[in-house]
Amino acid sequence: MSGTITKVSGPLVVAEGLGDANVSDVVRVGTQHLIGEILNMTGDRASIQVYEETSGLGPGAEVVTTGMPMSVELGPGMLDNIYDGIQRPLPEIRAVAGDSITRGINVPALNRDKVWDFVPVAKPGDRVTAGDVLGTVQETSAILHKIMVPNGVSGEVQWVESGSHVITDVIALVRDEKGKDHELTMIQRWPVRIARPYSRKYVPARPMNSGQRIIDTMFPIAKGGTAAVPGPFGSGKTVVQHQLAKWSDVDIVVYIGCGERGNEMTDVLMEFPELKDPRNGEPLMKRTVLIANTSDMPVAAREASIYTGITIAEYFRDMGYDVAVLADSTSRWAEALREMSGRLEEMPGEEGYPAYLASRLAQFYERAGVVECMGQDERRGSVTAIGAVSPPGGDISEPVSQATMRIVKVFWALDSSLAYARHFPAINWLTSYSLYLDTLAPWYTEQFGEAYMANRTKAMHILQEESELQEIVRLVGQDALSPADRLTMETAKMIREDFLQQNAFVDEDAYSSYAKQFRLMDLVLRYDTLCREALDKGVNMNALFTIPSRELIGRAKMADAKTFGADYDAIEARMKKEIAEVIAGGEDA
């Protein structure tokens, strides 16, 4: 079915004569067959969001509808690949069109020529329903790709064929209750704006281990949880997301570069293939899908990129994998919504953003979660959604930050003053929060006993006390503080510099296991406890601050991951001995 263009306004095209088309249908616009999506319909008049540059397009050009909603292709070949915002494979486009993307180019998202070894799991005569695993493909050395029965198909397996196949080959035949045969291939299509179904959703109850101490100990995120990373330019949003992508204990990472600067995205594309997966030594790309959508690409494509990424993540979740979706950044996505809303002449909300901004953000984040997957065998998967927010000037009172804060459960507020002081991760411990602490507390208690959460609470209390004492120090100087308050300041400094601060370029410090984090925090707080007991006995506080083991605690975070337990035991024994000697020396207060 075709219509005719009556108006072109940047990425917005209005066409008439599309009476039978539906909202969200994909259309091909003009002689170059530019990709577009219908945003709304008024009679036979359609407003179309075009995902490519529209210069040269004018009234009278033809618009042809495909009759299908904006969808992604799901199947083997997505991992170790780089897509643009509408799931066009950039390496293959480059091979066809050179270094610049030709308008209207149509390259399938999944390689039709690559041969995969399909190993059946289902047998002829088996009863299968949507979500059941038909067989497996070893997609990369890190991930076993499970070929599932598509949604809406159930019945009896008539035959299933093992061996080497391309993704378009028919690998199985399923006959439903009505006697209709369904030929199944290794490829599925799914509309990006519709969440994939699941059997049941659970409350997230296990933490996602990121190896970053300020995240795991202070503001943890659950597997299947949601988090936002707001911060001004240069505060390290992308650095935090790179660290999460590399070190998080998830099976698959979907990284969405949504409207970021081209040089920043280039860094990602250059660095990710070079990174080694710390779990198996393989390249990190073997379990990563990259979606690259830079700020100089058509703004409308940002809107699709977020949905493309979360749909791919849900597909891997349905196999029973834990998936992390890293969106950098949702502010650029919101700018695309604002531009399209303005061109549609909708009533603007705050700062020109559409009135439905918060509900669109919620639709994205609510697709995260821990679920019981579809199918008869029990599989549990999760999608963890982490979105960077780029408020202008770092002002989190703007609409995108505020709407995000109302939705997500974890808020890692980045602070430019910490970044300029070379304190990374530059997450401000006074303005960040995690609402998963109560649901994750049983897991921490089961693994490490009551002390883990007790230490976390005590450390946060000391950091908050330090913030209050700094006001006094600015007015009257540090000498006016009591010995107990001076100790609080010293302990807080140790927590900040020896625990929260991490160096991504030092292997021993780039990643910390939960056990190492627990012991390191316990060591710092043990020093605080012993010093307070000594101060109560009238000991000189300067003698306590200058004991040799104080310096050893400062270097303790560099301890080897295999031997840290013995190292920390030795430091603690030495610290107790030295403080006991100071007390025995009978120093006066």
Side-chain angles (χ1 to χ4, degrees), residues 79-80 139-143 252 282-288:
L79 293 173
D80 201 6
E139 183 172 355
T140 68
S141 53
I143 297 297
I252 287 162
E282 294 281 338
L284 191 65
M285 282 296 291
K286 297 289 184 188
R287 59 181 183 94
T288 303

Side-chain angles (χ1 to χ4, degrees), residues 15-341:
E16 292 182 345
L18 294 169
D20 292 337
N22 298 309
V23 172
S24 294
D25 276 3
V26 174
V27 296
R28 292 286 182 170
V29 180
T31 54
Q32 290 182 304
H33 303 292
L34 308 181
I35 300 173
E37 181 184 13
I38 296 176
L39 292 178
N40 58 47
M41 297 284 300
T42 308
D44 70 342
R45 192 164 176 263
S47 296
I48 299 162
Q49 176 172 249
V50 180
Y51 292 126
E52 301 182 70
E53 180 61 48
T54 57
S55 57
L57 202 62
E62 188 181 39
V63 175
V64 180
T65 177
T66 62
M68 291 175 60
M70 174 62 73
S71 305
V72 288
E73 288 186 349
L74 304 168
M78 288 190 295
L79 293 173
D80 201 6
N81 211 337
I82 303 165
Y83 293 110
D84 74 352
I86 47 178
Q87 213 206 4
R88 295 183 298 184
L90 295 179
E92 292 188 26
I93 287 177
R94 185 181 183 185
V96 172
D99 288 346
S100 56
I101 300 175
T102 310
R103 288 198 295 170
I105 195 165
N106 188 15
V107 178
L110 299 176
N111 191 326
R112 299 296 197 262
D113 301 322
K114 187 166 183 178
V115 176
W116 302 95
D117 286 326
F118 174 72
V119 180
V121 173
K123 304 181 297 297
D126 287 355
R127 303 284 306 172
V128 294
T129 60
D132 282 340
V133 178
L134 285 171
T136 61
V137 167
Q138 191 69 49
E139 183 172 355
T140 68
S141 53
I143 297 297
L144 186 70
H145 194 115
K146 297 171 185 174
I147 307 299
M148 298 172 288
V149 178
N151 202 45
V153 176
S154 63
E156 184 179 307
V157 178
Q158 300 301 301
W159 55 264
V160 60
E161 188 175 326
S162 64
S164 300
H165 298 278
V166 296
I167 57 171
T168 50
D169 288 347
V170 177
I171 52 159
L173 185 75
V174 174
R175 183 169 294 160
D176 63 20
E177 286 75 12
K178 297 177 182 176
K180 183 181 177 183
D181 288 343
H182 298 270
E183 294 184 335
L184 304 183
T185 65
M186 287 191 271
I187 189 170
Q188 294 187 25
R189 294 190 68 86
W190 190 266
V192 296
R193 296 180 190 277
I194 298 173
R196 284 177 64 86
Y198 49 83
S199 297
R200 185 181 172 192
K201 204 164 194 174
Y202 297 95
V203 175
R206 290 177 63 86
M208 185 180 85
N209 179 209
S210 68
Q212 311 305 299
R213 290 186 287 268
I214 189 163
I215 292 175
D216 292 341
T217 297
M218 297 302 195
F219 310 109
I221 180 172
K223 279 185 182 175
T226 53
V229 192
F233 171 78
S235 59
K237 295 184 292 296
T238 307
V239 174
V240 168
Q241 294 210 323
H242 284 202
Q243 290 293 91
L244 292 170
K246 182 173 182 180
W247 296 109
S248 295
D249 63 337
V250 292
D251 301 304
I252 287 162
V253 174
V254 180
Y255 187 95
I256 309 166
C258 177
E260 286 303 293
R261 293 174 300 285
N263 58 348
E264 203 164 280
M265 202 63 226
T266 303
D267 284 346
V268 173
L269 300 182
M270 297 295 284
E271 287 172 14
F272 265 61
E274 300 294 323
L275 291 176
K276 289 282 185 284
D277 188 337
R279 296 189 295 182
N280 53 27
E282 294 281 338
L284 191 65
M285 282 296 291
K286 297 289 184 188
R287 59 181 183 94
T288 303
V289 181
L290 287 181
I291 296 174
N293 178 247
T294 58
S295 50
D296 64 338
M297 290 180 175
V299 70
R302 298 179 194 175
E303 216 258 315
S305 63
I306 293 280
Y307 295 109
T308 299
I310 197 83
T311 307
I312 291 172
E314 287 176 333
Y315 175 68
F316 284 111
R317 174 207 71 189
D318 291 346
M319 298 180 199
Y321 289 123
D322 293 317
V323 189
V325 177
L326 307 171
D328 189 9
S329 89
T330 53
S331 293
R332 308 276 177 261
W333 173 70
E335 285 169 8
L337 287 180
R338 178 166 63 183
E339 170 153 347
M340 292 311 300
S341 176

Side-chain angles (χ1 to χ4, degrees), residues 503-533:
N503 189 338
F505 297 102
V506 178
D507 290 344
E508 289 78 11
D509 196 31
Y511 172 87
S512 269
S513 64
Y514 280 118
K516 187 176 178 182
Q517 293 182 41
F518 171 59
R519 287 299 310 276
L520 183 57
M521 175 65 84
D522 200 56
L523 195 61
V524 173
L525 296 179
R526 188 78 182 131
Y527 171 82
D528 180 78
T529 303
L530 292 173
C531 286
R532 286 191 193 280
E533 291 172 359

